[in-house]
């Protein structure tokens, strides 16, 4: 069953969002303006869209696998979370980017991608003195001889 997402575009210059069935369930997001960045510079890259997500869902926004290779930028928050309440007329989506080299990003360049995920269910925490699972040796121990 598909979910409806209402979308507002802030520019006619970017390609409209589309779901590519059978290829991936991630949807590409594009730069909505030309951006020039020097190494060590931070900028919010406008993505040219605002959306009303279905109730009970959130968007996860991450770089594309080619973003660093093509543009030399990293997303400063590693993964952006956009909840359903960020849905006003002026709530444009942005990618917070940090440049590791001088770079140019042009309108319509695909810089990141998103998918929607159902919100985490309500959970309850129960404090215990011991956990019943096997002890794997602590952080960073996997694969050590």
């Amino acid at each position: 069953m598909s979910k409806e997402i209402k979308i507002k575009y802030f520019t006619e210059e970017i390609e409209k969002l589309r779901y590519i069935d059978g290829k991936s369930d991630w949807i590409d997001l594009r730069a909505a303006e030309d951006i020039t960045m020097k190494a060590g510079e931070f900028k919010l890259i406008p993505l040219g869209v605002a959306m009303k997500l279905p109730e009970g869902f959130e968007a996860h926004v991450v770089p594309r696998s080619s973003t660093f290779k093509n543009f030399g930028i990293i997303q400063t928050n590693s993964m952006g979370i956009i909840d359903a309440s960020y849905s006003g007329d002026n709530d444009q989506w942005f990618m917070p980017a940090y440049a590791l080299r001088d770079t140019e990003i042009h309108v319509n360049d695909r810089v990141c991608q998103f998918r929607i995920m159902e919100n985490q269910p309500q959970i309850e925490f129960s404090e215990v003195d011991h956990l019943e699972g096997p002890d794997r040796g602590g952080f960073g121990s996997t694969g050590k001889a």
Side-chain angles (χ1 to χ4, degrees):
M1 174 185 234
S2 67
K3 298 284 182 188
E4 179 186 35
I5 296 179
K6 294 180 179 173
I7 183 166
K8 175 186 174 181
Y9 289 94
F10 288 83
T11 177
E12 292 296 319
E13 294 187 54
I14 60 171
E15 189 176 310
K16 303 292 188 211
L17 296 187
R18 61 193 165 109
Y19 180 80
I20 303 172
D21 195 26
K23 216 172 171 197
S24 173
D25 60 357
W26 290 83
I27 300 165
D28 289 336
L29 293 164
R30 299 165 181 273
E33 62 185 52
D34 290 333
I35 302 285
T36 300
M37 297 175 73
K38 299 284 184 200
E41 190 174 11
F42 168 84
K43 281 194 179 171
L44 290 173
I45 300 173
L47 301 172
V49 295
M51 297 183 213
K52 174 60 179 148
L53 299 175
E55 200 59 43
F57 285 81
E58 63 193 22
H60 294 187
V61 180
V62 299
R64 298 180 74 242
S65 61
S66 61
T67 297
F68 183 76
K69 175 183 67 104
N70 291 340
F71 304 109
I73 61 172
I74 56 174
Q75 186 171 323
T76 59
N77 58 349
S78 300
M79 178 173 79
I81 306 294
I82 300 174
D83 65 48
S85 70
Y86 189 72
S87 61
D89 224 22
N90 294 306
D91 289 338
Q92 180 174 193
W93 291 17
F94 290 85
M95 177 189 182
Y98 181 79
L100 278 83
R101 61 174 163 83
D102 293 356
T103 190
E104 288 186 10
I105 299 165
H106 300 288
V107 170
N108 223 25
D109 281 345
R110 296 177 298 164
V111 292
C112 56
Q113 58 191 335
F114 82 99
R115 70 185 309 184
I116 64 167
M117 302 290 293
E118 203 160 358
N119 291 358
Q120 177 172 278
Q122 190 70 31
I123 56 174
E124 227 176 271
F125 294 100
S126 300
E127 187 173 343
V128 297
D129 290 327
H130 301 285
L131 298 174
E132 297 168 6
D135 188 341
R136 292 183 47 191
F139 182 80
S141 62
T142 302
K144 294 274 185 184

